[in-house]
Amino acid sequence: MIGKSELLEAIAGKNRGLLATAADKPAILSLIAQLEDRNPTPRPTEAADLLEGDWRLLYTTSRGILGIDQLPLFQLGQVYQCIRTKESKVYNIAEIYGLPYLEGLVSVAAEYEAVSERRVKVTFKRSLSGLQRLIDYQSPSNFIEQIESGKKFTALDFTIESREQRGWLDITYLDEDLRIGRGNEGSVFVLTKV
């Protein structure tokens, strides 16, 4: 029987999927599917205490996230998804590294609504990109506090109003420190609570 440790071992060293080979990917997806079949939380969208908090991305197949690493002179750093259940908000934060003193940040704020026991509908509301130093970025939690306080940033900061900026995510596995999700574009996400 496959457990979390086998999945974590398989994705270790894969740099969130950037270093996964063509042979690695189906094997990892198989381990993910086996773990999803043993989801200990049958109604994850109702498990606010487990969902709440800051999550760090361990592995994904998302071309949107992994594509950030393809930008010239830049490297994808840590990626976080921070969930605030009381406000039904989610913040996606990607740290970008490259040239010294030019560390960047790409962030999207969204609202979510549970539409079934495991699916949430996501509506993107705000995008923020800039240099970590100019934004005064210290950590995901600190950054979210700044956003929620209404701070104006020295960055590319805009409201997302397009009706096309919506999606959904199925939470297919959830326990106290691991979450697996599958998005509307076919991507898989494996995250650990920070």
Side-chain angles (χ1 to χ4, degrees):
M1 188 178 288
I2 298 300
K4 281 173 30 175
S5 58
E6 287 84 359
L7 174 61
L8 294 174
E9 185 178 316
I11 61 179
K14 300 296 186 259
N15 192 12
R16 286 147 307 199
L18 287 166
L19 301 178
T21 66
D24 292 334
K25 291 174 186 177
I28 290 169
L29 289 175
S30 174
L31 291 172
I32 288 170
Q34 291 175 57
L35 198 55
E36 288 170 324
D37 287 343
R38 298 193 1 249
N39 182 10
T41 310
R43 291 184 296 283
T45 61
E46 298 171 16
D49 56 326
L50 292 176
L51 284 174
E52 175 74 26
D54 299 342
W55 297 82
R56 184 172 49 87
L57 183 69
L58 297 176
Y59 183 82
T60 187
T61 59
S62 169
R63 290 189 307 270
I65 294 172
L66 298 177
I68 293 172
D69 202 68
Q70 305 304 312
L71 298 171
L73 306 175
F74 291 101
Q75 231 178 329
L76 181 63
Q78 294 297 335
V79 178
Y80 298 95
Q81 186 171 74
C82 306
I83 299 174
R84 303 299 182 257
T85 55
K86 287 184 181 84
E87 299 86 15
S88 297
K89 292 187 177 179
V90 62
Y91 300 88
N92 295 327
I93 301 169
E95 298 173 353
I96 312 292
Y97 296 96
L99 300 174
Y101 304 106
L102 296 179
E103 296 85 6
L105 184 79
V106 176
S107 174
V108 177
E111 293 177 354
Y112 71 89
E113 173 189 358
V115 294
S116 78
E117 60 189 25
R118 62 182 244 173
R119 180 169 288 184
V120 292
K121 179 176 72 175
V122 180
T123 305
F124 299 101
K125 296 292 188 179
R126 183 177 180 189
S127 176
L128 199 147
S129 301
L131 297 177
Q132 290 182 25
R133 291 173 190 271
L134 293 178
I135 296 171
D136 191 28
Y137 176 79
Q138 297 163 21
S139 70
S141 294
N142 173 266
F143 179 60
I144 292 167
E145 285 175 23
Q146 292 181 66
I147 291 173
E148 290 300 313
S149 74
K151 178 178 178 178
K152 299 296 179 204
F153 294 93
T154 305
L156 183 59
D157 184 357
F158 60 91
T159 302
I160 301 171
E161 296 184 27
S162 171
R163 296 184 190 277
E164 295 173 14
Q165 293 299 321
R166 296 178 184 201
W168 54 260
L169 178 78
D170 284 340
I171 303 165
T172 56
Y173 182 94
L174 178 65
D175 67 19
E176 62 282 342
D177 62 1
L178 189 74
R179 180 166 54 93
I180 299 173
R182 292 182 180 262
N184 56 291
E185 295 181 347
S187 300
V188 173
F189 305 89
V190 179
L191 304 103
T192 187
K193 196 168 265 189
V194 219

